[in-house]
Amino acid sequence: MFITFEGIDFCGKSTQVELLRKYLTDRKKIVEIIREPGGTTISEMVRSVLLDKVHENMCSETEIFLFSASRAQLVREKIRPYLMKGYYVISDRFHDSSTAYQGFGRGLSVDAIINIHNLAIGETIPDITFFIDIPVGEAENRKRQKLHHELDRIEVSERDFFEKVRNGYLYLSKDKRFRKIDGMQSIEAIHNHIIREIELLEKR
Ligand code: ADP
Ligand code: TYD
């Protein structure tokens, strides 16, 4: 099963990925966790170009191609081989992040981005995608607890950008692949919701 987590920065994805990993491994499932952008030697190098604050002049078109280049490599080098071997593959962000951030956030054509996804990931579409939704104000509260130098090039963006990204996710999450979860609940309540959804999907 291929499971992805989405949402604006600080929504709680990494926390939930880790809890789900533990839940599945406790049940003797074999699990592989993927980090986007990154996860292969090539993808990690692309990641460092993408997130380095030195590159403040990077244009949106370059961004979408770099994120997609990193993902194309990850899909072929890791995700597909692991799925073939029967692993649960869990990715903290995947193609929906590019649609939300570069499409809705930066204003690139969503249709063009969907065409790029077709080339980069092809048929490797997640079985289920958890969108953890928090208001931008809550993300800012959580962000304030971090030191500025710990934030990457995209995390330092303005509030207006994250409002657009969140609206993008709200739109995307109407698709039946998505499960929208209220990220203002406790960590435990969100985790319980996620495992209920996974169990329901497995019974199908
Ligand atoms: P992401 O991977 O989406 O950026 P993290 O899992 O790293 O998010 O969480 C961002 C911050 O919010 C961390 O400090 C984390 O402890 C906190 N956090 C995560 N989930 C919740 C929650 N449900 N309620 C309150 N704080 C949370
Ligand atoms: P990530 O390291 O996952 O940050 P976080 O743990 O805070 O979620 O992602 C880095 C940043 O890159 C994050 O601000 C979201 C952004 N991003 C895009 O803009 N497009 C993409 O396709 C992806 C995968 C991430």
Side-chain angles (χ1 to χ4, degrees):
M1 191 185 288
F2 183 23
I3 305 163
T4 60
F5 283 81
E6 295 286 351
I8 61 172
D9 295 79
F10 306 104
C11 69
K13 290 178 284 82
S14 316
T15 305
Q16 295 300 330
V17 166
E18 187 47 35
L19 289 173
L20 180 59
R21 184 194 63 76
K22 185 167 185 316
Y23 171 84
L24 291 170
T25 49
D26 285 351
R27 273 154 195 77
K28 308 282 176 264
K29 311 285 191 193
I30 38 175
V31 180
E32 180 68 17
I33 306 286
I34 300 288
R35 165 167 93 149
E36 266 253 29
T40 68
T41 309
I42 294 171
S43 311
E44 290 292 336
M45 291 178 88
V46 177
R47 177 188 174 93
S48 65
V49 175
L50 271 165
L51 300 184
D52 193 330
K53 275 180 274 191
V54 171
H55 304 139
E56 59 181 26
N57 61 339
M58 187 183 293
C59 60
S60 308
E61 290 78 1
T62 304
E63 247 182 23
I64 182 68
F65 285 122
L66 288 180
F67 277 116
S68 303
S70 159
R71 185 171 303 127
Q73 191 67 29
L74 180 64
V75 162
R76 287 156 186 83
E77 209 177 301
K78 281 210 159 165
I79 297 179
R80 284 180 190 164
Y82 279 118
L83 289 173
M84 292 287 288
K85 283 192 276 182
Y87 278 62
Y88 283 71
V89 176
I90 307 177
S91 189
D92 189 339
R93 299 194 178 282
F94 196 57
H95 69 311
D96 300 307
S97 283
S98 294
T99 318
Y101 280 74
Q102 280 64 52
F104 289 88
R106 301 272 192 238
L108 291 181
S109 153
V110 170
D111 286 344
I113 292 179
I114 290 168
N115 281 326
I116 297 173
H117 292 333
N118 286 340
L119 181 65
I121 70 169
E123 306 281 293
T124 310
I125 294 176
D127 296 296
I128 188 165
T129 299
F130 294 105
F131 163 43
I132 305 180
D133 183 40
I134 58 167
V136 175
E138 172 66 13
E140 301 216 305
N141 290 339
R142 294 183 190 178
K143 181 156 81 173
R144 270 192 282 279
Q145 290 159 19
K146 281 206 164 189
L147 299 171
H148 187 76
H149 74 263
E150 293 172 346
L151 301 174
D152 64 46
R153 190 178 57 83
I154 294 173
E155 283 171 338
V156 298
S157 304
E158 296 301 315
R159 185 182 178 117
D160 178 51
F161 173 72
F162 289 108
E163 291 287 2
K164 289 185 202 156
V165 174
R166 182 186 180 207
N167 286 333
Y169 276 126
L170 288 168
Y171 175 80
L172 292 175
S173 66
K174 290 179 187 147
D175 186 276
K176 65 176 184 352
R177 169 167 58 84
F178 278 83
R179 301 293 181 278
K180 173 171 168 275
I181 300 183
D182 176 6
M184 298 297 280
Q185 302 174 89
S186 70
I187 290 174
E188 198 191 359
I190 297 171
H191 175 60
N192 289 337
H193 186 159
I194 290 168
I195 56 183
R196 258 198 326 274
E197 294 288 352
I198 300 276
E199 282 168 1
L200 276 175
L201 194 65
E202 280 182 325
K203 280 195 201 120
R204 272 203 219 152

